[in-house]
mmCIF file of all heavy atoms in Angstrom:
data_model
loop_
_atom_site.group_PDB
_atom_site.id
_atom_site.type_symbol
_atom_site.label_atom_id
_atom_site.label_comp_id
_atom_site.label_asym_id
_atom_site.label_seq_id
_atom_site.Cartn_x
_atom_site.Cartn_y
_atom_site.Cartn_z
ATOM 1 N N LEU A 115 -10.131 14.256 16.972
ATOM 2 C CA LEU A 115 -10.257 15.635 16.352
ATOM 3 C C LEU A 115 -11.075 15.648 15.097
ATOM 4 O O LEU A 115 -11.365 14.514 14.634
ATOM 5 C CB LEU A 115 -8.744 16.025 15.977
ATOM 6 C CG LEU A 115 -7.739 16.133 17.079
ATOM 7 C CD1 LEU A 115 -6.370 16.632 16.590
ATOM 8 C CD2 LEU A 115 -8.223 17.009 18.286
ATOM 9 N N GLU A 116 -11.428 16.806 14.576
ATOM 10 C CA GLU A 116 -12.316 16.819 13.386
ATOM 11 C C GLU A 116 -11.366 16.484 12.261
ATOM 12 O O GLU A 116 -10.081 16.584 12.275
ATOM 13 C CB GLU A 116 -12.930 18.257 13.285
ATOM 14 C CG GLU A 116 -13.770 18.437 12.129
ATOM 15 C CD GLU A 116 -14.923 17.526 11.914
ATOM 16 O OE1 GLU A 116 -14.784 16.297 11.459
ATOM 17 O OE2 GLU A 116 -16.126 17.935 12.216
ATOM 18 N N ASN A 117 -11.956 16.174 11.093
ATOM 19 C CA ASN A 117 -11.303 15.803 9.790
ATOM 20 C C ASN A 117 -10.152 16.673 9.437
ATOM 21 O O ASN A 117 -10.336 17.930 9.285
ATOM 22 C CB ASN A 117 -12.506 15.817 8.742
ATOM 23 C CG ASN A 117 -11.855 15.309 7.432
ATOM 24 O OD1 ASN A 117 -10.732 15.092 7.162
ATOM 25 N ND2 ASN A 117 -12.865 14.984 6.607
ATOM 26 N N THR A 118 -8.891 16.124 9.457
ATOM 27 C CA THR A 118 -7.736 16.981 9.277
ATOM 28 C C THR A 118 -7.765 17.739 7.880
ATOM 29 O O THR A 118 -7.129 18.702 7.704
ATOM 30 C CB THR A 118 -6.463 16.101 9.369
ATOM 31 O OG1 THR A 118 -6.587 15.013 8.565
ATOM 32 C CG2 THR A 118 -6.094 15.795 10.802
ATOM 33 N N ARG A 119 -8.504 17.076 6.920
ATOM 34 C CA ARG A 119 -8.630 17.793 5.642
ATOM 35 C C ARG A 119 -9.686 18.942 5.604
ATOM 36 O O ARG A 119 -9.824 19.442 4.444
ATOM 37 C CB ARG A 119 -8.940 16.716 4.514
ATOM 38 C CG ARG A 119 -7.670 15.841 4.382
ATOM 39 C CD ARG A 119 -7.636 15.074 3.047
ATOM 40 N NE ARG A 119 -6.566 14.009 3.172
ATOM 41 C CZ ARG A 119 -6.453 13.053 2.348
ATOM 42 N NH1 ARG A 119 -7.431 12.849 1.374
ATOM 43 N NH2 ARG A 119 -5.552 12.161 2.384
ATOM 44 N N PHE A 120 -10.197 19.188 6.717
ATOM 45 C CA PHE A 120 -10.925 20.519 6.759
ATOM 46 C C PHE A 120 -9.940 21.673 6.681
ATOM 47 O O PHE A 120 -10.379 22.899 6.370
ATOM 48 C CB PHE A 120 -11.711 20.536 8.105
ATOM 49 C CG PHE A 120 -13.079 19.892 8.012
ATOM 50 C CD1 PHE A 120 -13.296 19.051 7.131
ATOM 51 C CD2 PHE A 120 -13.943 20.132 9.082
ATOM 52 C CE1 PHE A 120 -14.551 18.317 7.043
ATOM 53 C CE2 PHE A 120 -15.163 19.427 9.038
ATOM 54 C CZ PHE A 120 -15.518 18.557 8.081
ATOM 55 N N ARG A 121 -8.730 21.382 6.813
ATOM 56 C CA ARG A 121 -7.668 22.426 6.731
ATOM 57 C C ARG A 121 -6.919 22.217 5.348
ATOM 58 O O ARG A 121 -6.373 21.111 5.153
ATOM 59 C CB ARG A 121 -6.693 22.361 7.866
ATOM 60 C CG ARG A 121 -7.331 22.875 9.094
ATOM 61 C CD ARG A 121 -7.512 24.332 9.249
ATOM 62 N NE ARG A 121 -6.322 25.076 9.252
ATOM 63 C CZ ARG A 121 -5.701 25.362 10.406
ATOM 64 N NH1 ARG A 121 -6.125 25.092 11.574
ATOM 65 N NH2 ARG A 121 -4.568 26.004 10.403
ATOM 66 N N GLU A 122 -6.781 23.279 4.603
ATOM 67 C CA GLU A 122 -6.226 23.053 3.305
ATOM 68 C C GLU A 122 -4.695 22.802 3.445
ATOM 69 O O GLU A 122 -4.073 22.150 2.655
ATOM 70 C CB GLU A 122 -6.632 24.091 2.348
ATOM 71 C CG GLU A 122 -6.153 25.383 1.725
ATOM 72 C CD GLU A 122 -4.683 25.673 1.641
ATOM 73 O OE1 GLU A 122 -4.204 25.090 0.602
ATOM 74 O OE2 GLU A 122 -4.198 26.409 2.420
ATOM 75 N N GLU A 123 -4.152 23.268 4.580
ATOM 76 C CA GLU A 123 -2.730 23.062 4.742
ATOM 77 C C GLU A 123 -2.339 21.516 4.876
ATOM 78 O O GLU A 123 -1.169 21.114 4.688
ATOM 79 C CB GLU A 123 -2.296 23.773 6.112
ATOM 80 C CG GLU A 123 -2.440 25.267 6.096
ATOM 81 C CD GLU A 123 -3.701 25.681 6.832
ATOM 82 O OE1 GLU A 123 -4.795 24.995 6.610
ATOM 83 O OE2 GLU A 123 -3.686 26.599 7.573
ATOM 84 N N GLU A 124 -3.342 20.777 5.397
ATOM 85 C CA GLU A 124 -3.033 19.338 5.714
ATOM 86 C C GLU A 124 -2.244 18.585 4.602
ATOM 87 O O GLU A 124 -1.087 18.069 4.813
ATOM 88 C CB GLU A 124 -4.384 18.664 6.006
ATOM 89 C CG GLU A 124 -4.287 17.089 5.930
ATOM 90 C CD GLU A 124 -3.667 16.311 7.077
ATOM 91 O OE1 GLU A 124 -2.796 16.979 7.770
ATOM 92 O OE2 GLU A 124 -3.892 15.152 7.210
ATOM 93 N N THR A 125 -2.785 18.713 3.415
ATOM 94 C CA THR A 125 -2.154 17.880 2.289
ATOM 95 C C THR A 125 -0.918 18.543 1.660
ATOM 96 O O THR A 125 -0.208 17.990 0.950
ATOM 97 C CB THR A 125 -3.222 17.650 1.155
ATOM 98 O OG1 THR A 125 -3.738 18.910 0.767
ATOM 99 C CG2 THR A 125 -4.341 16.806 1.603
ATOM 100 N N HIS A 126 -0.612 19.787 2.142
ATOM 101 C CA HIS A 126 0.648 20.452 1.724
ATOM 102 C C HIS A 126 1.602 20.268 2.759
ATOM 103 O O HIS A 126 2.743 20.871 2.620
ATOM 104 C CB HIS A 126 0.430 21.845 1.431
ATOM 105 C CG HIS A 126 -0.688 22.189 0.447
ATOM 106 N ND1 HIS A 126 -1.776 22.889 0.555
ATOM 107 C CD2 HIS A 126 -0.838 21.653 -0.843
ATOM 108 C CE1 HIS A 126 -2.570 22.860 -0.371
ATOM 109 N NE2 HIS A 126 -2.081 22.103 -1.341
ATOM 110 N N ASN A 127 1.369 19.647 3.875
ATOM 111 C CA ASN A 127 2.349 19.407 4.978
ATOM 112 C C ASN A 127 2.846 20.836 5.417
ATOM 113 O O ASN A 127 4.023 21.029 5.640
ATOM 114 C CB ASN A 127 3.451 18.487 4.546
ATOM 115 C CG ASN A 127 4.291 17.941 5.715
ATOM 116 O OD1 ASN A 127 3.871 18.021 6.870
ATOM 117 N ND2 ASN A 127 5.417 17.368 5.558
ATOM 118 N N ALA A 128 1.981 21.784 5.529
ATOM 119 C CA ALA A 128 2.252 23.187 5.834
ATOM 120 C C ALA A 128 2.655 23.297 7.355
ATOM 121 O O ALA A 128 1.900 22.771 8.188
ATOM 122 C CB ALA A 128 1.166 24.143 5.453
ATOM 123 N N PRO A 129 3.743 24.001 7.592
ATOM 124 C CA PRO A 129 4.269 24.113 8.965
ATOM 125 C C PRO A 129 3.237 24.618 9.979
ATOM 126 O O PRO A 129 3.157 24.224 11.098
ATOM 127 C CB PRO A 129 5.428 25.029 8.920
ATOM 128 C CG PRO A 129 5.750 25.134 7.375
ATOM 129 C CD PRO A 129 4.590 24.738 6.683
ATOM 130 N N ASN A 130 2.356 25.652 9.595
ATOM 131 C CA ASN A 130 1.482 26.189 10.590
ATOM 132 C C ASN A 130 0.514 25.231 11.122
ATOM 133 O O ASN A 130 0.381 25.069 12.364
ATOM 134 C CB ASN A 130 0.812 27.435 10.024
ATOM 135 C CG ASN A 130 -0.142 27.085 8.870
ATOM 136 O OD1 ASN A 130 0.124 26.184 8.130
ATOM 137 N ND2 ASN A 130 -1.336 27.795 8.727
ATOM 138 N N PHE A 131 -0.106 24.418 10.267
ATOM 139 C CA PHE A 131 -1.100 23.418 10.836
ATOM 140 C C PHE A 131 -0.414 22.281 11.566
ATOM 141 O O PHE A 131 -0.786 21.701 12.538
ATOM 142 C CB PHE A 131 -1.974 22.865 9.641
ATOM 143 C CG PHE A 131 -3.043 21.956 10.097
ATOM 144 C CD1 PHE A 131 -3.827 22.235 11.136
ATOM 145 C CD2 PHE A 131 -3.238 20.804 9.396
ATOM 146 C CE1 PHE A 131 -4.802 21.387 11.558
ATOM 147 C CE2 PHE A 131 -4.278 19.846 9.755
ATOM 148 C CZ PHE A 131 -5.183 20.178 10.942
ATOM 149 N N THR A 132 0.784 21.991 10.944
ATOM 150 C CA THR A 132 1.582 20.898 11.691
ATOM 151 C C THR A 132 1.913 21.267 13.055
ATOM 152 O O THR A 132 1.699 20.571 13.980
ATOM 153 C CB THR A 132 2.929 20.694 10.902
ATOM 154 O OG1 THR A 132 2.736 20.290 9.585
ATOM 155 C CG2 THR A 132 3.769 19.764 11.608
ATOM 156 N N GLN A 133 2.222 22.570 13.245
ATOM 157 C CA GLN A 133 2.543 23.086 14.657
ATOM 158 C C GLN A 133 1.324 23.131 15.556
ATOM 159 O O GLN A 133 1.384 22.729 16.697
ATOM 160 C CB GLN A 133 3.202 24.434 14.533
ATOM 161 C CG GLN A 133 4.649 24.402 14.260
ATOM 162 C CD GLN A 133 5.226 25.762 13.847
ATOM 163 O OE1 GLN A 133 4.824 26.733 14.288
ATOM 164 N NE2 GLN A 133 6.284 25.702 13.027
ATOM 165 N N GLU A 134 0.230 23.484 14.904
ATOM 166 C CA GLU A 134 -1.059 23.458 15.769
ATOM 167 C C GLU A 134 -1.350 22.043 16.233
ATOM 168 O O GLU A 134 -1.724 21.845 17.383
ATOM 169 C CB GLU A 134 -2.244 23.983 14.928
ATOM 170 C CG GLU A 134 -2.103 25.520 14.584
ATOM 171 C CD GLU A 134 -3.259 25.960 13.654
ATOM 172 O OE1 GLU A 134 -4.377 25.382 13.732
ATOM 173 O OE2 GLU A 134 -2.964 26.811 12.782
ATOM 174 N N LEU A 135 -1.268 21.063 15.388
ATOM 175 C CA LEU A 135 -1.483 19.717 15.659
ATOM 176 C C LEU A 135 -0.508 19.248 16.805
ATOM 177 O O LEU A 135 -0.805 18.623 17.788
ATOM 178 C CB LEU A 135 -1.363 18.793 14.540
ATOM 179 C CG LEU A 135 -2.586 18.751 13.484
ATOM 180 C CD1 LEU A 135 -2.170 17.976 12.234
ATOM 181 C CD2 LEU A 135 -3.801 18.299 14.144
ATOM 182 N N ALA A 136 0.853 19.576 16.516
ATOM 183 C CA ALA A 136 1.882 19.105 17.356
ATOM 184 C C ALA A 136 1.742 19.771 18.716
ATOM 185 O O ALA A 136 2.117 19.112 19.730
ATOM 186 C CB ALA A 136 3.195 19.524 16.738
#
Side-chain angles (χ1 to χ4, degrees):
L115 302 182
E116 183 54 285
N117 190 341
T118 50
R119 291 200 190 162
F120 279 10
R121 290 288 293 270
E122 105 26 77
E123 299 98 317
E124 161 75 338
T125 53
H126 305 123
N127 199 12
N130 64 328
F131 184 45
T132 296
Q133 280 169 26
E134 289 173 37
L135 288 171

